[in-house]
Amino acid sequence: MANVPIDQLAAEIIKAVREYTEDVSEAVEKKVDEVADQVLEEVKRIAPKRTGKYRRGFVKTNRDEPGRVRRFVWNRRHYMLVHLLEFGHAKRGGGRVAARPHLRPAYDKHVPKLLDDIRRIIRNGG
């Protein structure tokens, strides 16, 4: 460790904290992107397929805000069908259409590991 004059100590601490924060935020953003891609692949794989148009409509969107890394996996073309297929719905003439879950299982499979990975990234400093 280098010798730092006392009057420059605060500046050196701020510099070290800033470097740590940048390293951690870059690593977290990379990991979130990686997991969002995995969720997207899983959703496309297990989504209901009749003609394939619904399945091909899923995309990943980045909606970052200052201090927040956000990725959304959603269906760009058929967004209005997702909740009907995911949870099932009533038929017009009576009865119900069975649920075909595809978003929640993919999310539940990949996100718990993401939380552990983010904790590890923060602990290790990037």
Side-chain angles (χ1 to χ4, degrees):
M1 186 166 189
N3 292 333
V4 178
I6 195 75
D7 57 334
Q8 295 178 356
L9 183 61
E12 288 296 319
I13 291 173
I14 290 171
K15 179 182 170 187
V17 169
R18 187 174 293 131
E19 288 174 3
Y20 168 81
T21 304
E22 289 172 0
D23 291 345
V24 167
S25 62
E26 288 174 12
V28 167
E29 185 171 352
K30 182 179 176 184
K31 191 60 166 174
V32 168
D33 272 334
E34 180 182 311
V35 171
D37 289 337
Q38 292 172 354
V39 169
L40 179 62
E41 289 175 19
E42 181 87 7
V43 167
K44 285 185 174 186
R45 188 177 61 75
I46 63 176
K49 180 184 180 217
R50 196 160 78 186
T51 64
K53 289 181 182 179
Y54 175 75
R55 188 180 278 197
R56 287 189 302 268
F58 282 98
V59 294
K60 176 185 78 166
T61 303
N62 302 343
R63 293 190 184 162
D64 292 337
E65 297 173 359
R68 296 178 92 183
V69 178
R70 298 171 65 183
R71 302 295 180 263
F72 290 92
V73 175
W74 63 293
N75 195 310
R76 181 173 285 167
R77 295 184 191 133
H78 304 285
Y79 57 89
M80 55 278 198
L81 293 178
V82 175
H83 72 282
L84 297 174
L85 292 171
E86 184 78 15
F87 302 112
H89 59 91
K91 292 182 182 179
R92 185 171 48 182
R96 292 202 52 85
V97 174
R100 310 258 329 255
H102 49 285
L103 280 174
R104 181 55 65 175
Y107 178 86
D108 289 342
K109 180 178 178 181
H110 295 286
V111 171
K113 186 177 180 299
L114 172 66
L115 299 176
D116 293 337
D117 290 342
I118 289 175
R119 287 186 188 105
R120 183 184 48 76
I121 288 169
I122 292 170
R123 192 172 37 250
N124 295 337

